[in-house]
């Protein structure tokens, strides 16, 4: 048995002397005694005992229960109540101070020894638990991720500083609130409310994670992209008694990914401009020669009427040559034979939509998708079909650039189109097509854009036709345009 330093607070000085003698007999020491409730706390602070034996009835205006509460709040020293009165009301009041034992006077040495040993064992266990809790709080408060803990009713019991900063809620205000009141999350694309992750953990009893593209809406309305995971807190019997939610701000990562995508797009634009520059130089060089010959021969015809027939024949010949050059240059914009393989059309579309999500958000455009799960594999060239989708989607984004009086919505869908074909449609709520441009929109070098080259849709049509399909456009009611194309299903190909 480890000796314990004990303070005795007892209103009967004779009883206090007897208790002190009992304590010495069983191997403990008495650091002080008092009979006045108001003197108990100062004496504890002065003598620093390991345990207090507290009579409930004391001299002065403060009884033992009130004195015990003061000591408990200030020092967390274990207290054992001594009393000759054990009525229900007294026991109820005393219990609220969380005593470590209760002895009815008079008592034997063995009873006193047992109660003291049990009180000190309980105190040691509580001290270890408090130390563990402090380490737990210190660890969670110092990590870089945000952490929120809840009880079995999904009410908040803990928040670390990172969670406070991201949600805008101080821990003292959030304590006891339902998690959705503080941790407000929506889908980034649809703005639909996302299921409370704590409720999901409590329902499933397993670790869960948020879906991609989730936004956290802070108390001040600031929105941040996040990802997270929730884990159950399980007691010794396997019952879920709470949850821990860990999440992190994805804003910086999104910015890096967006910068990377922009760099890739800029590199692709530079490559296209370089190709078009080479194409223009080739056209200028090749066409200049027959045109020079045409002008020279026409001049010769004027000067030499007697050689008019020969001059005109040369004009016709060189004119045909110029036409052949133009047709050969036009052929450079097409791939002579697409490398068709079986591919998942929906996956091909999804890859492009993932690439363009940042641009859609930047232009405040809501993306809607309706990709048929019954669509089988198609025969196609993945790169060429993705280039067609990229062109149609970017055209839709540009068409909605000036729209301010209605929602900007881009809808992409796929479905079966019998016999043996798949159909893909891209719809926007933009300014729509002018009636006089519908029949010419796929012509090479025709454009409705101020700085456009008029090559995009012409090349798209060439690609789709090389796949055995068709590309068409139509007005969308009440606003916008629809571009759709077909491509053969693999099962229908010979």
């Amino acid at each position: 048995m480890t000796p314990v330093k004990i303070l005795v607070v007892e209103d009967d000085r004779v009883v206090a002397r007897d208790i002190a003698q009992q304590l010495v007999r069983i191997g403990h020491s008495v650091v002080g005694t008092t009979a006045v409730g108001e003197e108990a706390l100062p004496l504890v602070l002065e003598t620093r005992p390991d345990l207090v034996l507290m009579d409930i009835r004391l001299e002065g205006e403060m009884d033992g229960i009130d004195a015990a509460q003061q000591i408990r709040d200030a020092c967390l020293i274990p207290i054992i109540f001594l009393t000759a009165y054990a009525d229900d009301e007294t026991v109820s009041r005393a219990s609220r101070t969380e005593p470590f034992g209760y002895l009815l006077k008079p008592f034997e040495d063995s009873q006193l020894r047992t109660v003291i040993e049990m009180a000190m064992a309980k105190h040691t266990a509580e001290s270890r638990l408090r130390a563990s809790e402090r380490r737990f709080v210190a660890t969670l408060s110092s990590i870089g991720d945000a952490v929120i803990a809840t009880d079995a009713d999904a009410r908040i019991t803990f928040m670390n500083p990172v969670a406070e900063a991201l949600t805008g809620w101080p821990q003292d205000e959030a304590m006891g609130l339902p998690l959705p009141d503080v941790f407000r999350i929506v889908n980034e694309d649809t703005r639909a409310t996302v299921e409370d992750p704590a409720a999901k953990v409590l329902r499933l009893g397993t670790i869960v994670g948020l879906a991609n593209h989730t936004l956290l809406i802070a108390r001040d309305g600031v929105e941040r992209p996040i990802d997270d995971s929730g884990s159950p807190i399980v007691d010794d019997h396997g019952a879920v008694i709470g949850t821990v939610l860990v999440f992190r701000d994805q804003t910086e990562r999104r910015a890096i990914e967006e910068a990377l995508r922009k760099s890739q797009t800029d590199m692709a634009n530079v490559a296209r401009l370089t190709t078009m520059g080479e194409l223009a130089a080739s056209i200028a060089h090749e066409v200049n020669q027959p045109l020079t010959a045409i002008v020279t021969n026409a001049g010769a015809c004027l000067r030499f009427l007697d050689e008019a027939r020969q001059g005109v024949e040369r004009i016709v010949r060189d004119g045909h040559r110029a036409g052949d050059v133009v047709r050969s240059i036009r052929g450079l914009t097409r791939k002579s034979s697409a490398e068709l393989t079986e591919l998942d059309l929906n996956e091909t579309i999804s890859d492009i939509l993932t690439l363009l999500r940042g641009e859609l958000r930047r232009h405040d455009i809501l993306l809607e998708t309706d990709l048929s799960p019954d669509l089988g594999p198609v025969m196609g060239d993945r790169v060429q079909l993705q280039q067609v989708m990229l062109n149609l989607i970017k055209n839709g984004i540009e068409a909605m650039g000036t729209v301010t009086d209605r929602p900007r919505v881009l809808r992409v869908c796929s479905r079966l189109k019998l016999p043996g074909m798949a159909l893909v449609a891209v719809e926007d709520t933009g300014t729509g097509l002018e009636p006089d441009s519908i029949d010419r929109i796929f012509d090479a070098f025709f454009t409705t854009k101020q700085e456009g080259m008029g090559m995009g849709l012409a090349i798209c049509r060439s690609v789709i036709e090389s796949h055995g399909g068709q590309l068409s456009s139509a007005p969308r009611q009440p606003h916008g345009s629809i571009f759709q194309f077909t491509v053969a299903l693999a099962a229908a190909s010979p």
Side-chain angles (χ1 to χ4, degrees):
M1 181 187 68
T2 303
V4 177
K5 297 184 297 182
I6 299 173
L7 173 68
V8 178
V9 183
E10 167 63 52
D11 69 331
D12 189 325
R13 287 169 175 76
V14 174
V15 174
R17 185 194 60 197
D18 291 342
I19 292 174
Q21 292 175 350
Q22 282 184 286
L23 291 172
V24 172
R25 281 199 305 271
I26 61 178
H28 301 303
S29 62
V30 178
V31 297
T33 62
T34 182
V36 180
E38 286 80 2
E39 295 179 358
L41 178 59
L43 196 56
V44 165
L45 297 176
E46 177 186 346
T47 61
R48 294 292 176 182
D50 299 320
L51 182 143
V52 176
L53 291 178
M54 177 75 70
D55 190 5
I56 291 180
R57 292 193 175 183
L58 298 174
E59 296 178 6
E61 297 183 1
M62 181 180 295
D63 68 4
I65 296 175
D66 292 335
Q69 187 63 59
Q70 278 193 347
I71 295 171
R72 182 74 174 165
D73 293 341
C75 307
L76 293 177
I77 292 176
I79 295 173
I80 296 174
F81 281 118
L82 308 175
T83 185
Y85 305 96
D87 58 278
D88 292 343
E89 182 180 353
T90 300
V91 172
S92 176
R93 281 189 62 219
S95 297
R96 287 195 287 271
T97 66
E98 300 180 5
F100 282 68
Y102 202 97
L103 272 174
L104 289 176
K105 295 184 289 186
F107 44 79
E108 302 293 332
D109 289 1
S110 60
Q111 293 174 302
L112 183 59
R113 179 188 295 109
T114 300
V115 170
I116 290 175
E117 289 181 0
M118 292 181 65
M120 295 309 298
K122 180 181 177 184
H123 177 64
T124 300
E126 285 193 357
S127 297
R128 291 173 179 170
L129 178 60
R130 284 194 297 271
S132 176
E133 289 177 346
R134 285 193 292 270
R135 287 194 297 271
F136 171 76
V137 171
T139 300
L140 294 184
S141 297
S142 63
I143 66 175
D145 289 342
V147 179
I148 299 177
T150 76
D151 59 17
D153 296 321
R155 292 184 177 274
I156 293 174
T157 58
F158 172 82
M159 293 177 67
N160 73 348
V162 181
E164 291 179 315
L166 292 183
T167 62
W169 281 84
Q171 178 177 260
D172 57 351
E173 294 185 34
M175 291 289 283
L177 293 178
L179 181 65
D181 289 0
V182 175
F183 189 68
R184 298 169 53 209
I185 49 178
V186 298
N187 182 277
E188 190 171 9
D189 296 325
T190 65
R191 309 297 298 183
T193 300
V194 177
E195 181 183 1
D196 170 12
K200 190 173 182 179
V201 170
L202 292 170
R203 176 166 51 84
L204 300 178
T206 60
I207 297 174
V208 301
L210 282 178
N212 293 330
H213 314 299
T214 298
L215 287 178
L216 170 66
I217 304 177
R219 192 177 189 178
D220 59 3
V222 174
E223 299 182 356
R224 296 181 178 89
I226 62 167
D227 67 355
D228 92 324
S229 63
S231 303
I233 301 174
V234 182
D235 66 12
D236 294 338
H237 304 289
V240 177
I241 59 174
T243 67
V244 174
L245 183 68
V246 181
F247 57 99
R248 61 194 61 85
D249 186 356
Q250 295 292 300
T251 302
E252 183 176 353
R253 178 180 174 184
R254 288 280 187 87
I256 294 173
E257 291 176 348
E258 184 66 23
L260 177 60
R261 280 194 291 268
K262 186 177 185 301
S263 297
Q264 293 172 338
T265 301
D266 291 343
M267 291 177 63
N269 289 337
V270 169
R272 284 196 294 270
L273 290 175
T274 301
T275 301
M276 293 307 297
E278 294 172 352
L279 181 62
S282 176
I283 292 173
H285 175 74
E286 295 295 335
V287 175
N288 187 59
Q289 294 183 20
L291 289 179
T292 300
I294 289 173
V295 173
T296 301
N297 285 310
C301 287
L302 293 175
R303 291 192 302 270
F304 306 105
L305 293 176
D306 58 341
E307 297 181 4
R309 181 180 181 83
Q310 293 84 352
V312 171
E313 289 175 352
R314 286 193 292 272
I315 289 172
V316 172
R317 183 172 64 252
D318 289 331
H320 285 308
R321 181 184 169 197
D324 291 340
V325 169
V326 172
R327 281 191 296 273
S328 67
I329 296 302
R330 184 181 179 188
L332 292 176
T333 64
R334 306 183 184 183
K335 195 170 182 178
S336 58
S337 60
E339 299 175 2
L340 304 185
T341 59
E342 285 192 15
L343 58 89
D344 186 331
L345 186 57
N346 286 343
E347 180 181 327
T348 303
I349 295 170
S350 297
D351 289 345
I352 287 297
L353 293 178
T354 298
L355 182 65
L356 292 175
R357 282 187 185 275
E359 189 160 353
L360 291 168
R361 287 195 300 271
R362 193 163 52 249
H363 289 84
D364 197 22
I365 294 174
L366 175 64
L367 174 65
E368 295 181 352
T369 58
D370 183 16
L371 305 181
S372 172
D374 300 325
L375 204 61
V378 301
M379 294 301 297
D381 184 305
R382 180 182 296 275
V383 174
Q384 288 191 356
L385 291 180
Q386 286 184 335
Q387 185 64 34
V388 170
M389 287 299 303
L390 180 66
N391 214 317
L392 297 183
I393 293 172
K394 288 181 74 68
N395 283 350
I397 293 173
E398 292 174 2
M400 291 184 282
T402 59
V403 172
T404 60
D405 59 346
R406 59 181 178 274
R408 302 177 185 179
V409 181
L410 185 81
R411 187 170 188 271
V412 179
C413 62
S414 66
R415 63 178 184 272
L416 293 173
K417 182 177 176 64
L418 299 177
M421 303 293 285
L423 182 140
V424 177
V426 178
E427 303 178 22
D428 63 73
T429 58
T431 53
L433 299 172
E434 295 295 334
D436 59 348
S437 66
I438 293 178
D439 295 333
R440 305 174 57 198
I441 195 71
F442 298 105
D443 291 347
F445 304 112
F446 175 81
T447 180
T448 59
K449 305 172 186 176
Q450 186 174 358
E451 298 179 359
M453 299 180 63
M455 294 294 292
L457 289 176
I459 293 174
C460 287
R461 183 177 64 175
S462 175
V463 168
I464 295 303
E465 288 178 352
S466 71
H467 283 68
Q470 292 182 333
L471 174 63
S472 61
S473 65
R476 179 186 179 278
Q477 298 301 328
H479 305 286
S481 305
I482 302 174
F483 285 81
Q484 57 187 25
F485 64 87
T486 56
V487 61
L489 296 172
S493 299

